Amino acid sequence: MLYAIACYLLLTCLPAVATDPLHAQIEEIRAAKDSLLKSSPESPLLLEDRGQFQGLAYYPIDLRYRLTGELHIYGRQRQVDIPNTDGTTTTPLERYGRFVSALDGKEFWLEVYRSPETGITEVFFKDLTNGDTTYGGGRYARLNSDNNTTYIIDFNNAYNPYCDYNPAYICPLPPQQNHLSFAIEAGELKYGMNLAK
């Protein structure tokens, strides 16, 4: 099972400045997500939080974190149970492959999961910002394909699981192999966080 928030993460961002339409589209996606959280009956926010909700906080867009790489698709996609925040396991996802890329010259890889129902591919990851500026349990990011040859993860679109907004939710945890040894200072901050404070 992949998450409702993923429906807002359809764009793959290109280098942009504030006047670039792609930059504006990122802001529109964020505004739509804020609207969902504040007003939708499907919102994961606690009822008492919705009235004062002023929108989610993000790192400034930094296209250094828009990464291209190779996708090494596994020869056999098998379904695996993903551990959850409450100690149970979630609906099986397919272990689809490995996204191999580099940030600031440092190579890394992330295991990619695919939803058998929707075909959506994404990664669950942890990095050195977790528990400080970002949600302690890790974040999620979509993997997009550019003409089926280049694969892109834009961490500017990294988002939190519903657990960050409401402790009643149970969310998948990033696997150990997706614990990065560096900081991803991009995407959504932990709920209630404001870097300007």
Side-chain angles (χ1 to χ4, degrees):
M1 177 182 66
L2 298 179
Y3 305 95
I5 292 299
C7 69
Y8 294 105
L9 304 177
L10 300 176
L11 295 178
T12 303
C13 305
L14 299 173
V17 296
T19 56
D20 190 299
L22 290 175
H23 185 282
Q25 286 176 332
I26 295 173
E27 299 297 342
E28 288 171 10
I29 289 170
R30 293 176 177 182
K33 185 174 176 181
D34 285 343
S35 178
L36 170 81
L37 291 174
K38 185 172 182 66
S39 306
S40 171
E42 304 296 322
S43 173
L45 295 183
L46 295 166
L47 285 175
E48 58 266 29
D49 290 344
R50 293 184 196 178
Q52 60 190 13
F53 178 67
Q54 298 296 312
L56 298 173
Y58 296 87
Y59 281 105
I61 294 171
D62 182 348
L63 295 170
R64 186 170 55 98
Y65 289 104
R66 178 188 180 271
L67 303 178
T68 59
E70 297 179 358
L71 177 62
H72 300 276
I73 299 173
Y74 295 141
R76 177 170 162 253
Q77 284 88 44
R78 64 183 179 89
Q79 292 193 356
V80 293
D81 290 325
I82 308 299
N84 287 326
T85 50
D86 70 342
T88 63
T89 56
T90 194
T91 304
L93 294 172
E94 291 178 350
R95 288 177 66 249
Y96 187 63
R98 289 184 177 186
F99 175 74
V100 180
S101 188
L103 178 64
D104 296 333
K106 182 182 294 186
E107 291 189 359
F108 70 95
W109 63 270
L110 291 166
E111 188 155 81
V112 177
Y113 294 105
R114 180 172 69 171
S115 165
E117 293 82 18
T118 66
I120 290 172
T121 52
E122 68 180 332
V123 299
F124 308 150
F125 71 98
K126 291 191 78 168
D127 68 276
L128 296 185
T129 67
N130 297 143
D132 182 18
T133 55
T134 64
Y135 175 59
R139 293 180 291 166
Y140 307 155
R142 288 280 299 275
L143 175 72
N144 294 292
S145 172
D146 180 10
N147 299 322
N148 294 316
T149 55
T150 302
Y151 291 85
I152 300 165
I153 289 179
D154 189 343
F155 287 111
N156 292 286
N157 289 331
Y159 64 100
N160 295 336
Y162 281 0
C163 306
D164 188 33
Y165 317 132
N166 185 335
Y169 280 86
I170 299 167
C171 304
L173 292 167
Q176 185 65 41
Q177 60 268 29
N178 284 6
H179 290 199
L180 299 173
S181 61
F182 49 88
I184 300 291
E185 295 180 325
E188 189 176 334
L189 299 170
K190 65 184 176 183
Y191 183 51
M193 184 73 184
N194 186 344
L195 289 180
K197 291 181 179 178

